[in-house]
Amino acid sequence: MSLNPAIRTDDDVNGPISRVAELSLTEKIGLLTGAGTWTLRALPRIGLRTVTVSDGPIGVRGMDDDPTPSAQLPAPSATAASWDADLLGRLGTLMADEARRRGVDVILAPVVNLQRSPVGGRHFECLSEDPWLTARMAVPFVAAIQAEGIGACVKHFVGNETETDRTDYLSRIDERTLREVYLAPFEAVVRETGVWSIMAAYNGLSALGEESSATANTALLTDILKDEWRYDGVVVSDWLATTSTVESAVAGLDLVMPGPGGPWEQHLDDAVRRGEVPVGVIDDKVARLLLLASRVGALGEAFTPLPGESEFRRAAAEVASPDSAPVRALLREAAARSTVVLRNEAILPLDGDALGSVALIGANAVHPFVQGGGSAHVDAPLLADPFEALCEALPNALITLHRGGSTLVNAPVVDDDDLSAPSGERGVVADILDASGAVLESRLLPSASGSLWTTGLPAAATTVRFRTRVALRRSGEHLLEIAPVGAHTVAVDGTVVSTSAAKVGAEVVLDSSYANPPAVAVRVPGGSRRSAEIDATAQVVDAAAFGRFARIHLRHLAPEAGTDAEIAEAVEAARAADVAVVVVGTNPETESEGWDRPTLALPGRQNELVRRVAEANPRTVVVVNAGAPVLLPWLDEVPAVLWWWLPGQEAGTSLADVLLGTTEPAGRLPWTLPAAEADVPVPNGIPIDGYIDYAEGVDVGHRAWDRLGRTPAREFGYGLGYGRWRYDTVEADEPDEDGTVTVRVTVANEADRDAREVVQLYLEPERPDAERPLRWLAGFATVDVPAGASATVEIVLPERAFQTWNVDRHHWTTPSTGYRLHAARSSRDHRLATRVIIGGPTADDD
Ligand code: BGC
């Protein structure tokens, strides 16, 4: 058996690897494609049980059709705003607990792609626009997950920064940029945590002299990842991303997901027998899989499961439920800590004792947008509601709630309480039909949250008929929007309103259009006792290894007062209150996997709402509920602005803590907030002729803003917190023998409350070099300092912070040069500087 030399050969891994010899070629190849959407193949003969994987990074989603709720974390763009490695570690431990509770062995997280453009659909799922900050947040998260015996899967390797045409484009990235920017977080995670699996992306790469899909790129998967970084984990494809047999197998992909089916299985068996793929290549993949199985405790003694016996051999440990006090406390802390103070004209934190009334305003105050859409979605056990949380935190104040107009383009998802099945029960009846129209099975779907869909269908099912009545209680005209996926017939009150024979398949999952299909709109009169009868039949979508499902979105808008009237009402409430809190933000129509945003503008008339409320009440606090940048044209006209992210299940409690100062919102922006769309260095990631050119090179994010001399609304690293900081000294030692430089910064908290500072270090070459950024983030530390006290933080800059990738010799090089080292509160708020000279024995200036 010839194994890749990168596979470690210590005692821990020898055992699993030696099992490869016990397997036949057919058994080996069988292991290299998933058993199901979320499962790997078991081989009881050798004691290998099923390994289960599940999406992150916002929680552990669990299997389809399993309604068990999961702890719902703030989005990664929020947690990275904490700049707090310890917090990321604690969230990693929670993820591992959640995995254990749900019978999951490997969590498909974190995402370490970069926020290259603010419009990227998965921006909220990424940690930062900066490679160093991304790495520093991902490493403790992965390390903590794996310390609990659960695998992490870092994704999407690599150049996966755009959702437009997401399975088709090639990211064209020059070698230096690839090394210094886009590979850097992956390299840190691989080298520092030995992450047990890595996901090859949907996109292709035009890089390192190769053009290929990310699942078939030899230079990346074998030369760099497995050989140079000595990676011993499993390279798994993104779901349905593998399009080749021999190319992907030889390039270094180890596991095709999901299964069964796909381009390996028998095709790969044939290719091996034809000599196109060496047996040693297969053995290497199997060894990696067995090593992963052994790491997660799935490879033990041979066993024969009894009929019905769970394959999960590892008992779910006693882990706290996602609505238990310790989990809630951690998530509440994470959401509050991550919140960024963008402006504060001496109004925050609010003095709870002095508050008689608060007008809480905004569509996002009524329905906070707590998580983005797509594969990261988790069903939380609860949503801490902002209104209720404020009432609880301010028992003596009068809190009122006002929407101030809808921000949605579409009608909202129908309210479950408005649905009645033909039997009279709440919900929708789904009749599963075969090709002859005979009913194979009927199910009652109690909820339409998100959409009506039914999965796990019998093999003979071809269509599903959904029947329900929607109550139209209010008089006036109601709007019904019905959006089926694929071929369908939709009737409302006995009249067919839409029909189509155009069938769809797995592509609707890959391009996420199943989350957002075209809708037919029907207007119907309402009134007490009135309802509309919906009778809709939709095709069964055979989405290959993603499963089979039928899906219809059902939305309902009852007559409303109208946005003009709602804004006017909110403004009057603001005028009458001691303080107005306006929560603005994005919504499920805006931020999701599957599409990029066409604009950075806040949806609806939220800018007008903010301006009019602030005019009516000089004590107005604006809270921005979004994961990715939106334009805030009034930012410097209102007294206080908080960026509250997509906060997860502890939305309301975290908001109350921040407003009242129970927890300091100590977040710092992990990306740049533009003031205008036209200023954005990379305004979109739309492929041109199939390519996305990473033309800005190493100048990603704030580096590009610096290079172009543009002024954002708030720069990378910005965040006021509730402290007041004086920077006293910065000192840098001579470089150590290993090339590291130790820096000490002393800061003083001049505020009258304990506070947290994020001390940031930026390196700026003294001799400007057009090929290097003007400045880059090289290190940082968070420090809690009591009121009136000082603290000194020590930050070790690794040798890599001073290195560049030499494209002629293809290795890292350390230029002998001098740097100005800035101790800073943000990428533009530099407080102190010192010199660092790199040269001598550790540097080579080639
Ligand atoms: C996403 C991955 C995810 C996978 C499984 C893909 O569409 O790109 O991030 O892990 O689906 O849900």
Side-chain angles (χ1 to χ4, degrees):
M1 181 172 65
S2 79
L3 294 181
N4 185 298
I7 291 262
R8 289 163 35 202
T9 49
D10 56 39
D11 285 348
D12 276 358
V13 304
N14 265 341
I17 290 174
S18 66
R19 312 296 291 271
V20 177
E22 298 170 32
L23 307 184
S24 70
L25 179 63
T26 308
E27 281 176 324
K28 289 178 197 170
I29 287 185
L31 293 178
L32 303 182
T33 294
T37 314
W38 309 113
T39 47
L40 276 50
R41 295 228 166 106
L43 203 52
R45 185 173 75 70
I46 63 158
L48 173 66
R49 66 157 171 81
T50 301
V51 169
T52 301
V53 304
S54 179
D55 271 313
I58 283 154
V60 179
R61 195 172 78 223
M63 306 309 110
D64 299 334
D65 287 339
D66 177 353
T68 312
S70 294
Q72 188 188 56
L73 280 62
S77 58
T79 57
S82 72
W83 299 54
D84 182 344
D86 171 69
L87 178 67
L88 269 288
R90 287 187 287 140
L91 292 171
T93 306
L94 170 62
M95 291 288 281
D97 282 352
E98 287 288 284
R100 183 143 298 161
R101 194 171 61 78
R102 308 217 48 183
V104 166
D105 300 295
V106 178
I107 305 169
L108 305 174
V111 178
V112 300
N113 301 114
L114 299 185
Q115 294 154 342
R116 176 171 174 259
S117 166
V119 302
R122 298 185 86 167
H123 193 288
F124 69 90
E125 250 188 277
C126 303
L127 291 154
S128 169
E129 69 185 18
D130 185 273
W132 178 250
L133 180 58
T134 298
R136 285 359 292 159
M137 297 293 97
V139 164
F141 188 71
V142 170
I145 291 172
Q146 297 194 160
E148 301 296 319
I150 301 290
C153 180
V154 65
K155 62 189 187 182
H156 308 84
F157 195 62
V158 60
N160 185 241
E161 273 77 29
T162 294
E163 287 299 276
T164 306
D165 299 338
R166 70 179 186 150
T167 56
D168 295 332
Y169 64 81
L170 285 110
S171 297
R172 190 148 48 195
I173 313 178
D174 69 83
E175 181 178 338
R176 181 168 180 171
T177 302
L178 194 61
R179 288 288 189 161
E180 294 183 14
V181 178
Y182 295 95
L183 285 178
F186 285 100
E187 182 177 1
V189 170
V190 166
R191 288 196 194 269
E192 294 178 45
T193 72
V195 62
W196 299 344
S197 60
I198 184 167
M199 189 185 289
Y202 280 131
N203 54 281
L205 271 310
S206 174
L208 307 172
E210 253 186 72
E211 282 204 351
S212 70
S213 75
T215 51
N217 191 297
T218 309
L220 283 164
L221 301 184
T222 297
D223 301 348
I224 294 180
L225 176 65
K226 291 183 174 176
D227 292 347
E228 185 186 318
W229 297 351
R230 301 192 64 70
Y231 183 59
D232 69 5
V234 171
V235 181
V236 49
S237 70
D238 200 342
W239 267 227
L240 296 186
T242 321
T243 49
S244 62
T245 304
V246 175
E247 290 84 345
S248 52
V250 172
L253 186 72
D254 299 313
L255 174 65
V256 167
M257 282 301 282
W264 282 13
E265 295 190 332
Q266 190 58 48
H267 307 287
L268 184 54
D269 203 304
D270 295 344
V272 174
R273 290 179 203 278
R274 282 197 303 269
E276 290 168 14
V277 179
V279 176
V281 165
I282 302 296
D283 286 347
D284 177 70
K285 299 180 195 310
V286 174
R288 290 166 185 275
L289 270 170
L290 294 182
L291 182 53
L292 171 66
S294 136
R295 284 170 162 162
V296 300
L299 185 64
E301 293 308 306
F303 71 95
T304 315
L306 299 170
E309 186 189 7
S310 163
E311 285 186 298
F312 295 117
R313 294 255 122 187
R314 186 166 38 81
E318 289 291 304
V319 288
S321 66
D323 57 356
S324 63
V327 173
R328 293 200 60 182
L330 172 59
L331 296 177
R332 178 174 179 168
E333 177 195 342
R337 276 282 183 217
S338 302
T339 300
V340 181
V341 184
L342 295 182
R343 181 171 165 87
N344 187 9
E345 296 297 287
I347 174 172
L348 290 172
L350 301 171
D351 177 358
D353 295 334
L355 275 183
S357 59
V358 177
L360 180 62
I361 295 168
N364 287 49
V366 178
H367 290 297
F369 181 37
V370 294
Q371 64 178 332
S375 57
H377 183 100
V378 294
D379 290 326
L382 57 97
L383 167 61
D385 176 68
F387 175 72
E388 280 169 26
L390 274 186
C391 290
E392 197 168 311
L394 295 167
N396 299 321
L398 172 70
I399 320 287
T400 58
L401 180 64
H402 318 268
R403 187 170 70 161
S406 167
T407 66
L408 295 172
V409 175
N410 298 321
V413 173
V414 65
D415 193 329
D416 294 341
D417 290 337
D418 288 340
L419 295 173
S420 52
S423 61
E425 289 167 278
R426 190 180 93 160
V428 178
V429 159
D431 295 322
I432 298 161
L433 311 174
D434 69 10
S436 72
V439 178
L440 299 170
E441 190 189 323
S442 283
R443 297 181 190 171
L444 178 71
L445 312 177
S447 169
S449 61
S451 64
L452 301 166
W453 69 331
T454 194
T455 51
L457 298 169
T462 58
T463 51
V464 176
R465 182 176 177 197
F466 298 93
R467 285 177 299 146
T468 189
R469 296 194 80 88
V470 180
L472 310 170
R473 296 193 177 86
R474 247 181 253 168
S475 56
E477 191 180 70
H478 291 244
L479 173 66
L480 290 168
E481 287 174 356
I482 306 142
V485 176
H488 64 267
T489 301
V490 175
V492 176
D493 287 334
T495 304
V496 173
V497 292
S498 176
T499 182
S500 163
K503 291 222 170 175
V504 298
E507 72 282 359
V508 297
V509 181
L510 289 173
D511 67 13
S512 292
S513 61
Y514 76 121
N516 209 9
V520 51
V522 181
R523 291 175 195 280
V524 278
S528 65
R529 292 167 188 274
R530 273 203 49 86
S531 62
E533 183 192 44
I534 311 286
D535 187 346
T537 303
Q539 76 163 97
V540 170
V541 181
D542 191 351
F546 271 122
R548 303 174 79 238
F549 63 88
R551 187 171 192 181
I552 283 190
H553 298 249
L554 184 53
R555 301 191 289 261
H556 170 216
L557 182 65
E560 297 183 333
T563 304
D564 283 340
E566 285 194 33
I567 292 180
E569 190 258 348
V571 169
E572 284 323 303
R575 202 184 309 283
D578 290 344
V579 165
V581 175
V582 192
V583 185
V584 297
T586 52
N587 60 43
E589 293 177 351
T590 323
E591 292 190 65
S592 176
E593 176 180 340
W595 65 80
D596 297 315
R597 285 184 299 159
T599 169
L600 295 180
L602 276 170
R605 286 164 61 185
Q606 298 185 84
N607 290 332
E608 176 189 344
L609 176 71
V610 168
R611 285 202 161 107
R612 287 178 55 189
V613 167
E615 228 172 73
N617 190 328
R619 286 170 58 76
T620 291
V621 178
V622 184
V623 178
V624 185
N625 173 201
V630 285
L631 301 179
L632 310 177
W634 33 260
L635 175 56
D636 291 314
E637 296 164 22
V638 298
V641 181
L642 296 169
W643 196 285
W644 180 49
W645 304 109
L646 307 181
Q649 69 179 56
E650 294 303 325
T653 43
S654 66
L655 182 60
D657 286 349
V658 159
L659 290 172
L660 298 171
T662 319
T663 304
E664 183 193 5
R668 306 289 187 264
L669 290 179
W671 42 249
T672 307
L673 179 64
E677 217 97 34
D679 296 339
V680 176
V682 181
N684 64 52
I686 297 174
I688 298 172
D689 298 330
Y691 289 94
I692 298 183
D693 273 305
Y694 283 48
E696 71 288 357
V698 294
D699 282 334
V700 65
H702 57 99
R703 301 170 175 187
W705 286 82
D706 286 349
R707 170 81 66 200
L708 299 168
R710 293 183 187 160
T711 306
R714 292 292 184 270
E715 68 274 11
F716 174 82
Y718 187 94
L720 297 170
Y722 288 162
R724 215 175 49 247
W725 297 98
R726 197 183 67 226
Y727 276 55
D728 287 335
T729 57
V730 58
E731 291 165 18
D733 289 351
E734 294 283 303
D736 237 316
E737 267 173 25
D738 60 1
T740 59
V741 172
T742 301
V743 181
R744 276 169 301 279
V745 182
T746 302
V747 294
N749 176 9
E750 297 185 308
D752 56 6
R753 57 172 291 150
D754 301 351
R756 170 174 288 197
E757 176 63 327
V758 180
V759 176
Q760 303 166 36
L761 297 179
Y762 293 86
L763 278 175
E764 180 177 314
E766 285 180 342
R767 258 188 301 139
D769 175 345
E771 297 202 337
R772 301 182 88 178
L774 290 178
R775 275 180 295 281
W776 57 91
L777 177 71
F780 61 90
T782 55
V783 58
D784 293 305
V785 186
S790 293
T792 300
V793 292
E794 193 173 275
I795 302 170
V796 178
L797 304 184
E799 185 182 28
R800 184 61 65 79
F802 302 97
Q803 291 186 310
T804 62
W805 182 258
N806 182 314
V807 292
D808 299 321
R809 300 198 187 175
H810 310 292
H811 70 180
W812 291 101
T813 180
T814 309
S816 297
T817 190
Y819 295 88
R820 217 169 150 67
L821 175 74
H822 298 278
R825 299 212 63 221
S826 76
S827 64
R828 297 224 166 155
D829 185 358
H830 302 165
R831 294 297 173 97
L832 299 168
T834 186
R835 280 189 89 196
V836 177
I837 310 290
I838 303 291
T842 60
D844 60 88
D845 205 1
D846 50 3

